[in-house]
Amino acid sequence: MGRGEREAVARGGRLCEAAHAVVADHARAVDAVRAALEPICEDLAQRELDAIPVARLRDVTEGRLRLGEVEKGGFRTVREVLDAGPYRLRQIPGVGQQTAAQTVAAARQIAEAVRDTVAVHIDVDRPEPRITALVAALHVLVEAGPDARRAVDAAAALVERLGPLVTEARPASGRLRMLIAGQSRRERALAAVVEIRRLTAEAEQHGVPELLAQASVDLLRGPASDIAALVDFELRSAEYYSLLAEISGRRPDPAASEGFLPDDVAERVRAQTLDDTHRRVSLRGYQAFGARFTLAQRRVILGDEMGLGKTIQAIAALAHLAAEGQSHFMVVCPASVLINWTREIDKRSTLRAMPLHGPDRHEAFADWKGRGGVGVTTFDALRGFPVPGGGELGMLVVDEAHYVKNPQARRSMTVTEWAEHCDRVVFLTGTPMENRVSEFRNLVAVLQPGLADAIGDRAGVAGSKAFRKAVAPAYLRRNQQDVLTELPALQHTDEWEELSPSDEDAYREAVGAGNFMAMRRAAYARPEKSAKLNRLREIVAEAAENGLKVVVFSQFRDVLGVVKDALGESRDAVDGALFGPLSGSVPPVRRQQLVDEFAAAPGHAVLLAQIEAGGVGLNMQAASVVVICEPQIKPTVEHQAVARTHRMGQVRSVRVHRLLATGGVDERMVRMLENKARLFDAYARRSAVAESTPDAVDVSDVALARRIVEEEQARLGTGGHEEPAGSQ
């Protein structure tokens, strides 16, 4: 028995204690969420039970329960029955012990079902104390992130494996203990020391002690304030709701979240592991299943409805393959979303994103070939790159895959050639496929030719469930209403676009003239080559495919005019009515009429609105998609406009797309506004004064405009007369 053994036991003991602490800290954080959630859910359940008539108790007993005397006794709702209990019911003339017991038992059965299905909606615009407490409790776990989850999993494994060994090795921690221990006990202690050394060395090699230490700090750190937690919820509500669903156990129907796949396919997907080592965000249950589907089935179409996170599911699959040792991946997408892909990869994972686009794309491709990472390129640029050899590419991801539905198109042939040299291929499209069987067959032919041959022309006519069963090995689609158990969430997406050459020319002219407002709308000055307008068309087209209504906001009437012309040209190709523009010059009564007509229009429709005219006093909750054509100088204006759609009465999630151009006025505005005192704005925005006078808390238009104009003139080497910030 020597110092080495004593030190080994001590190190093992310290590591085991740290693991115990992390498990306990995580359990306390989860218990805090449950404690905050319980009274909210109970209140929601009681309200719902108060709205269920006593007559519904007959349904539970298949009509056998006699409730006439109970109803005559003045009991109107299930909640009143529960509050009364069997004793009070027996006091009603004609109600015996058996009827009273059966009535209360039926009421309890309904109450249990209601408690299992109530959904909590977090309204940050009207946060009452219990909701605020819930968000603050959730904030601890959301802020700790996936690293904390990994730490807890590692800690639990260490406690299970290391705990008994530390106990077994206790005699080896001192000479006297070893002396008084029997021969068998000493041998077991020394064997335990050997195993402790191995486990602690393995843990240290993988950075587990540091992971545990950081997790303990994160799990014990609360939000700076309730306001900080509420603001953070606004920025990443999906992560909060995902965690809430997990802890509460109120998850969507498993069959729906698994896309109603046949049992054999679903079981294979469930058995697929998903490594999160290179991922920076947690996944919702259906998203984890989608990532597993792409891995288990290898060559597939992920066709989730817009807003469900197809991008993060693809990134999760790439991160898993990177953890398995794959080094090279390729994402092919329209130019309009290339920047968004690179930003999402950087934000959501530790993978290296490499844009392979523009004049230096061949040098970038050579760098990607040598160093690896996720290459992100366009359909057109892909044609100029050499096709990789077999096994060289870990996964090929094709976004907006309906772009390659025509097998005779050059882009389709290029993608097909790349797919033939890659074992794993994922096509992403939010366009439903049931009614486009021929197009769907063309996509499947690239992925699984044998399956494509088996899909008949009438496959979609048989109904969506029959269609999905037929194509299950290659196609997974989930709808929002099937997998989002909470009430509508608000999802923000910044759509970063690279200006086209003609956009750049218009922008330079505006900068040279010192015209701030012209700089802000330069991206629409030449519609035929507008990058933002092209992306807007894509967003509206996808919304049309899914039957969703869209509101398009801009500060500028001329921008709305350009948008109207552009969308008007495509109305023949995309069914749906076009309303507006709704501007300050439209009388208030007519504004409301436009909104009512928009809401009453069947299926897809688009409403164009000037942001300050449409963002005040009008309820547009018929819309599920919001497009903001340019960043706003006053954040409160944008917030109020979005609030017109995302409010009580909205029955779907609201997806907000803010169109932004890189490298110019948009990027500078976003950066400056993000650097403001965010918490102060959040507090002020929720006050009555802020709602009525948003100017009171916003930055000065003139000061911000002058600063941006000067910086852009310096960057571009232009100069000239500076026009007033308010120029239209």
Side-chain angles (χ1 to χ4, degrees), residues 19 21 50-51 53 56 279 303 350 416 483 572 589 604 628 682 691:
D50 214 17
R56 287 285 302 277
R279 183 164 26 94
T350 63
T416 300
V483 298
D572 293 336
V589 174
H604 169 69
I628 299 175
E691 288 298 318

Side-chain angles (χ1 to χ4, degrees), residues 391-414:
E392 184 179 345
L393 198 62
M395 178 176 277
L396 173 67
V397 179
V398 181
D399 194 13
E400 305 291 353
H402 47 275
Y403 275 49
V404 296
K405 63 189 178 185
N406 178 5
Q408 306 305 318
R410 292 178 64 188
R411 64 172 60 147
S412 303
M413 290 188 281
T414 302

